[in-house]
Amino acid sequence: MDLSALNPVAIAVSLIVAATPLVFAAIGELVVEKSGVLNLGVEGMMIVGAIAGFAGANVTGSTTFGVLCALLAGAALSGVFAFMTQVLMSNQVATGLALTLFGLGLAAMLGQPYSGIPAPDFPRVWLPVLSDLPVVGRLLFSHDWLVYVSLLLAGTTAWVLTRTRAGLVLRAVGENHDAAHAIGYKVVLIRTGAILFGGACAGVGGAYLSLVASPLWVEGMTAGRGWIALAIVVFASWKPWRAVLGAYIFGGVTIAQLNLQALGVAIESQYLSMTPYLVTIVVLVIISADKRRARMNAPACLGRPFFAAG
Amino acid sequence: MTALLSIRGLWKRFPGVIANADVSFDIQPGEIHALLGENGAGKSTLVKMIYGVMRPDEGEMLWQGRPYAPHAPGEARDTGVGLVFQHFSLFEALTVGENVALGLPAEQAGRDLPDRIRKVSAEYGLPLDPDRQVGELSVGERQRVEIVRCLLQSPRLLIMDEPTSVLTPQEVETLFLTLRKLRDEGVAILYISHKLEEIRALCTAATVLRGGKVVGACDPRQETARGLAEMMIGRELAAPGAPAGTGGETRLELDDLTVISEAQFGVSLRSISLELKAGEVLGIAGVAGNGQDELTAALSGETRVAPGMIRLEGQPIGHLGPTRRRRLGLNVAPEERLGHAAAPEMSLTDNTFVSARTRLKLSLKGLLKLGAARGYARRIVEDFDVRTPGVGAAAGSLSGGNLQKYVIGREMLQRPEVLVISQPTWGVDAGAAQAIRQAIRDLAQEGCAVLVISQDLDELMEISNRFAVIAGGRLSAPRPAGETSIEEIGLLMGGGAHAAA
């Protein structure tokens, strides 16, 4: 085995690229779940975001426009979910599963004309001096701008949830929707807003896959990352920074196993491919082993439909 | 003098029901005004209209002579109406401060809020720590959170919906001091309760609702509790019978019953020992959330314990599940009628299978005997005067009182050796409560051993021979009901079980 072929800086950079889509999707879903809604359609919203972003960028040549398309497409798909579960009172689990199936099918159909063409180049941040620094420059100051947005998003979400009134109301709605309604908060409206936010985040996460990580459109390219994002939210005990950690562990192991495969380690590639999923879940299970505290953080109304009485 | 709030001819109709019909009355500043009525008399609907949760179909309200028609609770609060909910509208996972902030307009919930909570709560004798999590608080403390939340908005009218149903007698005294202080400051209080003695002690005016209509107005200080009750239900109350005798053989024995609760906010039972004899009614009092649910679950078999911790007629049964315990003669009627004691969507006939299947042999080799079940459901409906269109009606369509009569009837008519009833008359109107208490006494008279777990002290004093208090998962030593004063019980309920026992 020739370890000298490995470049630690390159590995770290690709780790971040693998983790960022999950950061977007998980933070979005975290906000949705904090409001008391369980949307299992993350995978579907991600893949629709991936094709919308790819198509938008290819047609106009602007990746920024592509990301905007993905954001709107994810939000639009989640809007369907919001209408069904919040207005028509459909079952959240069934609707979320249907959303995933629908999203995968829709993306495959829309993606027909786009397979096999490359995406436009995604611009990278370049700061004078800083980006030219050895090691540090590549590690910290020369990613694409979505990486910084994802971390900013996590930080802002953590701050809003714990430090602002808007976050308090959101948590209250997820905690006890009947009480929130009795005090006079508009439960359905607040939840709809959270669902749309979650959809937009998942859409951007999907676009990151097709515009930065791959950058290609391949049918089914999300490959279960939406489900990993859902698992990350639960095992991160609904804490944004832990969700980021979970996403980075997943990214890290993904890259590690790819490198091991490239080095020709004598393990079946299928086993290596499953390690990121296994390791992410195992690590987060260990973090959240303190059941009392994990339950304390879980929104008490998660997945329960709200009927306004009177 | 202009009334603070004047209600003029309010109507509210729901499909099939008229909740309020031409309701009119006035509330004066600085008055504690009682709103009396049985369950379903229309009190809650009226409160919801005053608080802006619902709109009236007809009629108007005047606030200090000016039209008042709130569209949302926020508008009502801005006008000066505060509401302390019957079932608290609190968020267990949030702190006291966050809970209060959620009930205030954003501009009043600034950084100085914790200090203001401390100040107001000290001023009105309602000590509270803004940083504590509500899930850790006792029920009395939770009510304080609700009251402080209202007081911070300096209300002119404070509505209290059944505020004392969950408090110890001492906590009730403290609450009354607070309410009188508020009244002296000119705040009007609309006080909703079915505890007539409290209303006589506290209120200076009363409006009585029955079937959605105002049927009377009086000064409760001039009336007897009996007179108020008769006004409320519109007929004369039968005098309660004498409690049953004691001295039978021991039926149920709890020996050092200990259950460590794993649920969040659950209460662990700590070495509870008890002997229940045939022919007696043993009452267990206590403030909600002190281990009653856990005790009920341990007795029913939903929580299993070591065999010897529970003995039925000498036989260890702690390890047995509910079905086998029922077969041996231990039946339990849990507190939660819908979803626990009965399946809401299923008919009264189908619901007999919930608990009577084995003891009454309502199934044969896995096949249901529907005819026998229907016959049993009819017997319950007849013997216990359950008002229902028929035994095919869904359990969830019955009113609370009628469903409770059905649930208790279903257990009693199985002729159990031991019957455990949790909260027999919770949320049940006065007439049905009377019937249920009589049935409990009759059953004991016939030789059944009855254990009643209730938060209603007056009820326990009325029906039980012996009496114990559960506090923090510990049970005080039972004593004869006649020899215990309400004050002593109150101290025990506050947690002094060991000191006093």
Side-chain angles (χ1 to χ4, degrees), chain B residues 107-364:
Chain B
E107 60 276 10
Q108 283 184 38
R111 294 205 179 278
D112 61 332
L113 186 61
D115 293 327
R116 281 168 50 218
I117 293 174
R118 283 197 194 90
K119 189 168 150 273
V120 169
S121 63
E123 198 176 319
Y124 289 95
L126 306 162
L128 272 181
D129 176 359
D131 296 324
R132 281 191 62 194
Q133 210 165 41
V134 167
E136 298 168 358
L137 302 183
S138 73
V139 185
E141 287 172 310
R142 289 180 195 207
Q143 188 180 51
R144 282 182 212 158
V145 179
E146 291 261 4
I147 297 176
V148 166
R149 177 153 79 184
C150 286
L151 293 185
L152 278 169
Q153 298 176 79
S154 328
R156 307 288 311 280
L157 172 65
L158 187 62
I159 306 174
M160 307 280 299
D161 194 356
E162 304 257 356
T164 59
S165 53
V166 292
L167 302 183
T168 65
Q170 279 79 7
E171 285 173 327
V172 170
E173 272 311 306
T174 317
L175 174 68
F176 282 10
L177 288 177
T178 307
L179 294 183
R180 292 199 180 101
K181 184 169 157 64
L182 282 167
R183 175 197 63 196
D184 295 342
E185 290 169 8
V187 177
I189 295 167
L190 184 62
Y191 189 88
I192 300 164
S193 175
H194 61 261
K195 296 198 176 171
L196 304 168
E197 288 301 338
E198 283 177 3
I199 286 175
R200 291 185 56 233
L202 187 71
C203 303
T204 48
T207 298
V208 185
L209 286 183
R210 192 193 321 141
K213 296 192 186 77
V214 176
V215 293
C218 61
D219 181 344
R221 292 167 299 182
Q222 313 293 326
E223 304 281 334
T224 61
R226 200 186 165 82
L228 289 173
E230 286 172 359
M231 208 185 284
M232 217 161 84
I233 63 172
R235 59 186 153 84
E236 285 190 13
L237 279 175
T246 49
E249 79 277 20
T250 300
R251 281 277 170 78
L252 181 75
E253 228 177 315
L254 302 185
D255 183 18
D256 202 21
L257 173 67
T258 301
V259 179
I260 303 303
S261 169
E262 282 168 14
Q264 197 184 1
F265 309 125
V267 178
S268 297
L269 301 178
R270 304 198 182 276
S271 48
I272 291 182
S273 296
L274 185 73
E275 271 186 28
L276 185 65
K277 293 184 166 50
E280 76 164 339
V281 179
L282 175 65
I284 295 186
V287 180
N290 268 290
Q292 289 96 330
D293 295 348
E294 290 78 3
L295 180 60
T296 312
L299 287 171
S300 70
E302 286 158 88
T303 311
R304 314 247 178 129
V305 294
M309 283 185 178
I310 305 175
R311 285 170 194 277
L312 184 66
E313 301 188 301
Q315 189 185 348
I317 58 157
H319 58 299
L320 300 181
T323 308
R324 295 184 62 191
R325 290 191 193 191
R326 273 191 215 114
R327 194 176 298 151
L328 293 171
L330 168 60
N331 279 37
V332 176
E335 170 181 353
E336 188 69 34
R337 290 185 282 263
L338 283 177
H340 196 178
E345 309 288 325
M346 300 180 92
S347 70
L348 296 183
T349 301
D350 293 343
N351 267 296
T352 58
F353 294 105
V354 170
S355 81
R357 185 176 59 85
T358 45
R359 203 167 163 78
L360 296 183
K361 303 195 174 55
L362 295 180
S363 69
L364 189 69

Side-chain angles (χ1 to χ4, degrees), chain B residues 339-418:
Chain B
H340 196 178
E345 309 288 325
M346 300 180 92
S347 70
L348 296 183
T349 301
D350 293 343
N351 267 296
T352 58
F353 294 105
V354 170
S355 81
R357 185 176 59 85
T358 45
R359 203 167 163 78
L360 296 183
K361 303 195 174 55
L362 295 180
S363 69
L364 189 69
K365 299 196 167 91
L367 294 177
L368 302 179
K369 295 202 278 189
L370 278 176
R374 211 172 289 128
Y376 185 53
R378 285 210 188 94
R379 227 178 95 208
I380 301 169
V381 167
E382 277 166 31
D383 287 11
F384 284 81
D385 185 28
V386 180
R387 313 267 166 85
T388 167
V391 293
S397 68
L398 268 61
S399 76
N402 276 311
L403 186 59
Q404 185 70 356
K405 285 195 278 189
Y406 170 81
V407 166
I408 288 181
R410 185 182 69 193
E411 305 307 321
M412 283 187 174
L413 290 178
Q414 294 180 44
R415 301 273 150 234
E417 310 292 326
V418 176

